[in-house]
Amino acid sequence: MQGLVGSFKRFGESFIEQLPNLLAALVFLVITVVLARLVRRGVEAGLRRTSTEAYVHLLVGKLAYFGTMLLGMVVALSIGGVNLGWVVGSLGLVTIALGFALQDILGNFVAGIVLLLEHPFTRGDQIAMDDVEGTVEDVRVRATQLRTPDGRQLIIPNKLLFTSVLTNSTATMHRRVEVHLSVPGAAISAKLRERLLAAATGVEGVSDGDRAPRLLIQDLDDDKIELLLWFWVDPRRYPELQRVRSEVLEATQAVLARSNMGLTASKAGSGASDDKKAG
């Protein structure tokens, strides 16, 4: 009984002796919280003056906040009389254990930070990866949210986006769309070619000027000629390329119908190319 009382007495004396240090550590911790918030706001305000995206401001601001908090907690523990060597050793073991247990989550986190900093795509871009295609709705630290053309929502881990080949359809000002036409060989003429090109140019979304539609001969046969109609669309202004292609087909159908010819659209499709390749 006396031993237990003595233990409580020694604990009380030690607590009273360390009380000023504990109070100082608590005050410093409160100051750290306030300072961390000010640092985060200052970093975000500074980044708003640059051309970086809003979510990059939030990411860097949070990193600055947690970095300041971590440093302040280490100093507060030191003021409170905690052995930092023991704390650092324990944190090292915990970090190794968490690294093995959460390697996928950490991989997605790191990939998300790299994607946010490198900025290969942003909100509103149309990207494709393997069999996945959609419009970027949100870029988060762990995953990226896409909206597919048929309205489905996809959540893709950033690690997959970071390690796969991506196609960003809106990274260039023009995408080339191809339409294959088959007409009787005896009916093709310069006047018909002009009418087809004029019909394609008149469709909303089809670029003109330096990117005016082009009509090329793809293949020659005994009784027909395979034509390849090229036209360019700005995907940032007209993201529905299939709608533009459909209207071009309707316009060329009307031209050929007036010429008493049938239109056969074989292997019609749209292929993307950037400005350098499309030229």
Side-chain angles (χ1 to χ4, degrees):
M1 187 67 179
Q2 292 181 352
L4 181 61
V5 172
S7 298
F8 276 108
K9 184 177 180 181
R10 286 192 298 272
F11 175 77
E13 293 175 351
S14 176
F15 179 79
I16 294 175
E17 182 180 353
Q18 293 293 330
L19 185 60
N21 292 336
L22 295 176
L23 292 176
L26 181 61
V27 171
F28 187 84
L29 190 59
V30 173
I31 295 175
T32 299
V33 173
V34 176
L35 181 62
R37 292 179 178 177
L38 293 176
V39 169
R40 180 180 61 185
R41 293 176 183 175
V43 170
E44 292 179 357
L47 289 175
R48 289 193 191 100
R49 301 188 183 97
T50 65
S51 59
T52 54
E53 298 290 337
Y55 48 79
V56 178
H57 307 167
L58 297 176
L59 173 63
V60 178
K62 288 181 179 180
L63 291 177
Y65 174 81
F66 288 118
T68 305
M69 284 294 300
L70 181 60
L71 180 60
M73 291 178 63
V74 171
V75 175
L77 290 174
S78 177
I79 295 175
V82 177
N83 187 352
L84 294 182
W86 176 82
V87 173
V88 172
S90 300
L91 288 177
L93 294 176
V94 172
T95 301
I96 294 175
L98 288 177
F100 282 107
L102 306 175
Q103 56 181 343
D104 290 337
I105 296 178
L106 293 176
N108 289 323
F109 179 79
V110 174
I113 293 177
V114 175
L115 289 175
L116 289 173
L117 295 178
E118 288 189 352
H119 200 238
F121 53 81
T122 184
R123 289 189 182 98
D125 283 352
Q126 298 178 13
I127 63 174
M129 177 194 69
D130 297 333
D131 296 332
V132 177
E133 181 178 1
T135 302
V136 178
E137 288 190 335
D138 194 11
V139 183
R140 304 168 185 170
V141 177
R142 189 192 67 84
T144 297
Q145 178 177 312
L146 300 182
R147 181 71 61 179
T148 62
D150 58 357
R152 293 178 298 168
Q153 184 185 82
L154 297 179
I155 305 297
I156 303 178
N158 288 327
K159 187 176 180 180
L160 296 179
L161 294 173
F162 184 72
T163 57
S164 300
V165 178
L166 283 178
T167 301
N168 190 341
S169 301
T170 50
T172 57
M173 295 180 61
H174 296 88
R175 286 189 65 187
R176 190 183 70 200
V177 182
E178 300 177 353
V179 172
H180 299 255
L181 307 175
S182 178
V183 299
I188 190 66
S189 64
K191 189 174 183 179
L192 178 60
R193 293 170 63 92
E194 292 177 0
R195 290 178 179 176
L196 290 172
L197 292 174
T201 305
V203 174
E204 181 184 5
V206 176
S207 302
D208 54 5
D210 294 338
R211 296 293 176 182
R214 299 171 61 184
L215 193 61
L216 307 174
I217 296 178
Q218 186 179 24
D219 195 9
L220 294 174
D221 204 345
D222 294 337
D223 56 348
K224 64 180 179 178
I225 296 179
E226 299 292 337
L227 298 178
L228 180 62
L229 177 63
W230 280 357
F231 58 94
W232 285 262
V233 181
D234 186 348
R236 297 170 299 179
R237 297 180 57 191
Y238 304 97
E240 298 180 355
L241 299 184
Q242 291 299 324
R243 190 271 306 169
V244 179
R245 171 183 167 273
S246 177
E247 293 184 6
V248 169
L249 281 174
E250 292 178 3
T252 52
Q253 170 72 47
V255 171
L256 294 175
R258 286 195 297 267
S259 301
N260 296 322
M261 290 183 294
L263 172 64
T264 302
S266 61
K267 301 179 181 179
S270 61
S273 63
D274 57 27
D275 292 343
K276 295 181 179 179
K277 295 181 180 178

